[in-house]
Amino acid sequence: MRRSDRLIGMTHYILEHPLELISLPFFSSRYNAAKSSISEDLAIINRMFKKEGIGYVESVPGAAGGIRYLPQYDEDQSLEFVNSLAKRLEDPERILPGGYLFMSDILGEPITVRQLGRLFATAFAPLNIDVVMTVATKGIPLAYAVASFLNVPVVIVRRDPKVTEGSTVSINYVSGSSRKIQTMVLTKRSLKQGATVCIIDDFMKAGGTIDGMKSLLKEFDATVAAIGVLAEAEDEEDERIITDYTSLLQISNVDEKNKHIEVKKGNFFTTD
Amino acid sequence: MRRSDRLIGMTHYILEHPLELISLPFFSSRYNAAKSSISEDLAIINRMFKKEGIGYVESVPGAAGGIRYLPQYDEDQSLEFVNSLAKRLEDPERILPGGYLFMSDILGEPITVRQLGRLFATAFAPLNIDVVMTVATKGIPLAYAVASFLNVPVVIVRRDPKVTEGSTVSINYVSGSSRKIQTMVLTKRSLKQGATVCIIDDFMKAGGTIDGMKSLLKEFDATVAAIGVLAEAEDEEDERIITDYTSLLQISNVDEKNKHIEVKKGNFFTTD
């Protein structure tokens, strides 16, 4: 097979298997090429991925070695992307009762959601995440996007204990903003004990929901390695019970009466 | 830029923008190459995509022309994939009360879900779908996977009218299996009038939920161009109120008592 053909096939394969260790012999036999040719192909792919701002291909040395694709989002491109998203969200028509923001249209765009997933993966790829967790419903698309770049499964916590999926673990928690007691349920067989978890959600106010997920994860002896939220409400900062998180957007000065809102980039871009 | 570099960049770009019309001048300026070189590149990419079984690149002639990537799933590979999925699902431990099947682990795997999305897209790509619709919660990942290959947005119908997203349209429907009256809600601004819609869900018994979505869509003057379900319960066939749908899997002879279940490939593979 010609190099040009191999590069196309390998690019597709690598993109579909982020963070996965792929051995050189695998590509050798798949494309019927010498290991030295495959190595050269991978060097070209690595260089071009960097140029396109979509990450890089890292060599894993040793007998059981190979390569791994680390998905990343180029800094300039990601800033541009998030700034344009912030602009779209600043539309006062998006203000919903209770200081929430209408984001369903944006979270309904698969390409946008994939870009958001790639952004979180840029931050979380080195953390050896086993599983991405979210709570139904709005965080689900985002959680899948992150998980697809981290190449790990998603587990979904439900607020509705009626779902029949066998035995469950449930906890009660106090919603930070409404101060109401709510319930969260996770099917026992959906999460192994001792997993390293990344929590993803679309919106964080005081953080009660995320705190609830953390409590639930304790029941599974899990480690919370990362918390990612698309947007945080900055006005609620004083009451926040979650401190260690990554946000892509910060929403502030929501004024329902005068129809005003400010959206700026989140701590993903300001902490280092 | 060298051909090898261009092929990698173009492969990534094309894969991320299925069904989208991309002009040759776009690639020419992005990779600083003559239109004739870009044409040759696209011929190579088209040939290799076919070889890899992931679809093809079609030429759209005319002044406003260009190319479009039609994602497809090679027939042999898709049969192999669905057969292995059927085998995993035939595990009697998966039987849930009421004739349901535990599939959350499988629907939690981003790579599997993407493959399912590619399969549906193979069938639905020619239908000029504007939007993919599903009902919360379990169909959401599948709906996004289909939508990402069709390059269209997702709208999510809720069973919970408490969600505050502005004015809504709601309908009552009779759940086919439980014969209970249930409610379904869609935010008005989430769907334009007159859209061509693809309905996606994870599981269909009698089809009451999907019939409910169809009724809801009538309120938006929408056309239902396709209905895709991951698994249909064949035992319910006599009571089915939905007849025109595409299923990837058929589940039959569910015997809760004796812990037995049969899973075979759906009508996606038997009709054409």
Side-chain angles (χ1 to χ4, degrees):
Chain A
M1 190 179 280
R2 280 193 225 149
R3 161 148 297 151
S4 52
D5 290 5
R6 279 201 313 268
L7 288 174
I8 296 164
M10 286 168 70
T11 296
H12 174 251
Y13 190 91
I14 289 169
L15 288 171
E16 292 276 311
H17 297 84
L19 293 180
E20 194 176 306
L21 183 70
I22 310 167
S23 74
L24 268 54
F26 171 79
F27 281 133
S28 280
S29 83
R30 186 174 167 106
Y31 298 112
N32 196 16
K35 233 176 109 176
S36 58
S37 306
I38 297 291
S39 286
E40 285 164 32
D41 297 342
L42 290 166
I44 300 171
I45 290 172
N46 181 36
R47 195 183 63 221
M48 192 59 191
F49 275 20
K50 284 184 185 164
K51 208 168 188 169
E52 295 274 85
I54 58 172
Y56 61 95
V57 176
E58 124 190 306
S59 289
V60 180
I67 61 108
R68 285 201 322 158
Y69 165 46
L70 275 290
Q72 286 195 337
Y73 205 143
D74 167 68
E75 214 176 305
D76 291 346
Q77 284 181 48
S78 55
L79 250 178
E80 197 187 309
F81 165 66
V82 163
N83 284 334
S84 78
L85 203 60
K87 220 171 204 164
R88 285 179 71 186
L89 287 172
E90 268 188 342
D91 178 356
E93 293 298 315
R94 292 184 173 277
I95 301 173
L96 296 171
Y100 288 93
L101 209 59
F102 180 75
M103 303 198 294
S104 295
D105 57 337
I106 284 168
L107 287 173
E109 299 167 1
I111 289 185
T112 306
V113 171
R114 268 181 75 74
Q115 281 175 300
L116 294 169
R118 185 189 288 277
L119 259 178
F120 280 120
T122 303
F124 302 155
L127 304 178
N128 292 313
I129 305 288
D130 293 321
V131 62
V132 171
M133 173 184 261
T134 192
V135 66
T137 308
K138 291 197 196 158
I140 296 177
L142 205 55
Y144 271 82
V146 177
S148 81
F149 284 107
L150 297 179
N151 205 350
V152 297
V154 177
V155 298
I156 299 171
V157 177
R158 317 287 296 251
R159 289 203 172 89
D160 169 9
K162 278 173 289 183
V163 181
T164 53
E165 296 215 323
S167 61
T168 57
V169 176
S170 78
I171 58 130
N172 295 318
Y173 69 101
V174 178
S175 159
S177 30
S178 69
R179 306 267 174 229
K180 272 191 292 191
I181 292 182
Q182 306 202 351
T183 305
M184 235 180 229
V185 180
L186 186 60
T187 311
K188 256 189 192 160
R189 57 173 142 180
S190 65
L191 184 62
K192 282 194 198 101
Q193 289 284 315
T196 301
V197 179
C198 164
I199 293 176
I200 293 288
D201 210 354
D202 63 323
F203 202 81
M204 179 171 74
K205 295 181 79 178
T209 305
I210 287 172
D211 199 52
M213 281 193 263
K214 283 177 73 175
S215 305
L216 194 56
L217 284 169
K218 268 188 205 143
E219 300 298 316
F220 289 85
D221 284 329
T223 307
V224 178
I227 296 170
V229 295
L230 171 54
E232 57 167 318
E234 220 193 0
D235 303 350
E236 312 272 336
E237 219 169 17
D238 298 344
E239 304 184 37
R240 189 150 296 152
I241 48 180
I242 297 290
T243 50
D244 199 10
Y245 62 89
T246 301
S247 68
L248 301 185
L249 294 163
Q250 283 180 337
I251 292 167
S252 56
N253 299 317
V254 182
D255 184 343
E256 284 184 51
K257 211 172 128 199
N258 298 306
K259 292 262 172 200
H260 176 84
I261 184 172
E262 280 165 31
V263 184
K264 51 179 203 263
K265 59 182 193 288
N267 68 18
F268 177 91
F269 297 95
T270 48
T271 53
D272 230 296
Chain B
M1 192 180 280
R2 280 192 224 149
R3 161 148 295 150
S4 51
D5 289 5
R6 280 201 312 267
L7 289 173
I8 296 164
M10 286 168 70
T11 296
H12 173 252
Y13 191 90
I14 289 169
L15 288 171
E16 292 275 313
H17 297 84
L19 293 180
E20 193 175 307
L21 183 69
I22 311 167
S23 73
L24 267 56
F26 170 80
F27 280 134
S28 279
S29 82
R30 187 175 166 105
Y31 298 114
N32 196 17
K35 234 176 109 176
S36 59
S37 307
I38 297 292
S39 287
E40 286 165 32
D41 296 343
L42 290 166
I44 301 171
I45 290 173
N46 181 36
R47 194 182 65 221
M48 192 59 191
F49 275 19
K50 284 182 186 165
K51 207 168 190 169
E52 294 273 85
I54 58 171
Y56 61 96
V57 177
E58 127 191 303
S59 288
V60 180
I67 61 108
R68 285 200 324 157
Y69 165 46
L70 276 290
Q72 286 195 336
Y73 204 143
D74 167 68
E75 214 176 306
D76 291 346
Q77 284 180 48
S78 55
L79 249 177
E80 196 187 311
F81 165 65
V82 163
N83 284 333
S84 78
L85 203 59
K87 219 171 205 164
R88 284 179 71 187
L89 286 172
E90 267 187 343
D91 178 356
E93 293 297 316
R94 292 185 173 276
I95 301 173
L96 296 171
Y100 289 93
L101 207 60
F102 179 74
M103 306 197 293
S104 295
D105 56 337
I106 283 167
L107 287 173
E109 298 166 1
I111 288 184
T112 306
V113 171
R114 268 181 76 76
Q115 281 174 299
L116 294 168
R118 185 190 288 277
L119 259 177
F120 280 119
T122 303
F124 301 153
L127 304 178
N128 292 313
I129 306 288
D130 294 321
V131 61
V132 171
M133 174 185 260
T134 192
V135 64
T137 307
K138 291 197 197 159
I140 296 177
L142 206 54
Y144 271 81
V146 177
S148 81
F149 284 107
L150 297 179
N151 205 352
V152 297
V154 177
V155 298
I156 300 170
V157 177
R158 317 289 296 253
R159 289 204 173 89
D160 169 10
K162 276 173 290 181
V163 180
T164 53
E165 294 214 325
S167 60
T168 58
V169 175
S170 81
I171 57 129
N172 295 319
Y173 69 101
V174 179
S175 160
S177 30
S178 68
R179 305 268 175 229
K180 270 190 294 189
I181 293 183
Q182 305 202 350
T183 305
M184 236 180 229
V185 180
L186 185 60
T187 311
K188 257 189 190 159
R189 59 173 141 180
S190 66
L191 184 62
K192 282 194 198 101
Q193 290 285 316
T196 301
V197 179
C198 164
I199 294 176
I200 293 288
D201 210 355
D202 63 324
F203 203 81
M204 179 170 74
K205 296 180 81 177
T209 305
I210 286 171
D211 199 50
M213 279 192 264
K214 283 177 73 175
S215 306
L216 194 57
L217 283 169
K218 268 188 205 142
E219 301 296 318
F220 289 86
D221 284 328
T223 307
V224 178
I227 297 170
V229 295
L230 171 55
E232 56 168 319
E234 219 191 2
D235 302 351
E236 312 271 337
E237 217 168 20
D238 299 342
E239 304 183 37
R240 187 150 299 149
I241 48 181
I242 297 289
T243 50
D244 199 12
Y245 61 89
T246 301
S247 68
L248 301 185
L249 295 164
Q250 283 179 337
I251 292 167
S252 57
N253 298 317
V254 182
D255 184 343
E256 285 183 51
K257 211 172 128 199
N258 297 306
K259 292 261 172 198
H260 176 83
I261 184 171
E262 280 164 34
V263 184
K264 52 178 200 266
K265 59 182 191 287
N267 69 18
F268 177 91
F269 297 95
T270 49
T271 53
D272 45 17

